[in-house]
């Protein structure tokens, strides 16, 4: 069993910063890619940023230059530093771990429970 536990969401004024963390725990051998998705009210869930075990990153165009994703492979933890936040960044942010190889030698994807980020104008 693998679990993802997110933290760091909250309420912030426009222009402010937040840092999200997501720690994966359980019978993990390796994780290929970790990332963050977000889902605004009434809209679909979209990729915000992702990072591979080798450190390659990709970002949604809307967050480039403002958000930074990083990862601690030894701790199976991914971070999302969000700066210059805008009201349109308001959403539930979900952590994703893709290509998780567990001790049963199975590959699976996992999702966190989501954390609310609200940016006031």
């Amino acid at each position: 069993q693998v679990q993802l536990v997110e933290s760091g969401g909250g309420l912030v004024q426009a222009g402010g910063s937040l840092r999200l963390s997501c720690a994966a725990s359980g019978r993990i051998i390796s994780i290929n890619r970790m990332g963050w998705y977000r889902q605004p009210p009434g809209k679909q869930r979209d990729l915000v940023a992702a990072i591979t075990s080798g450190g390659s990153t990709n970002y949604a165009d809307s967050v480039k230059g403002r958000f930074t994703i990083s990862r601690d492979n030894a701790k199976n933890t991914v971070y999302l530093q969000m700066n210059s936040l805008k009201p349109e960044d308001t959403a539930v942010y979900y952590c994703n771990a893709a290509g998780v190889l567990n001790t049963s030698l199975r590959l699976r994807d996992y999702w966190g429970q989501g954390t609310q980020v609200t940016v006031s104008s």
Side-chain angles (χ1 to χ4, degrees):
Q1 187 77 0
V2 174
Q3 292 183 331
L4 302 182
V5 178
E6 300 145 337
S7 61
L11 173 65
V12 65
Q13 289 187 333
S17 299
L18 283 174
R19 188 187 193 219
L20 304 182
S21 300
C22 172
S25 62
R27 298 176 178 271
I28 299 170
I29 295 177
S30 63
I31 303 175
N32 181 25
R33 192 181 83 157
M34 299 187 78
W36 292 92
Y37 289 69
R38 66 186 181 187
Q39 187 168 16
K43 296 186 178 180
Q44 67 180 23
R45 188 180 301 185
D46 290 323
L47 176 70
V48 176
I51 184 168
T52 68
S53 57
S56 297
T57 60
N58 65 297
Y59 294 90
D61 288 342
S62 60
V63 307
K64 285 180 180 177
R66 300 188 298 123
F67 291 9
T68 302
I69 191 169
S70 60
R71 177 173 172 174
D72 185 333
N73 289 331
K75 296 181 179 179
N76 289 326
T77 299
V78 64
Y79 307 94
L80 185 68
Q81 178 66 43
M82 303 185 293
N83 298 328
S84 302
L85 282 160
K86 304 175 181 180
E88 50 263 44
D89 294 317
T90 295
V92 177
Y93 284 69
Y94 294 92
C95 176
N96 171 260
V100 180
L101 182 65
N102 62 25
T103 54
S104 299
L105 301 183
R106 292 183 178 180
L107 276 175
R108 273 198 57 185
D109 294 356
Y110 293 89
W111 290 92
Q113 78 283 359
T115 185
Q116 177 70 44
V117 171
T118 302
V119 184
S120 62
S121 58

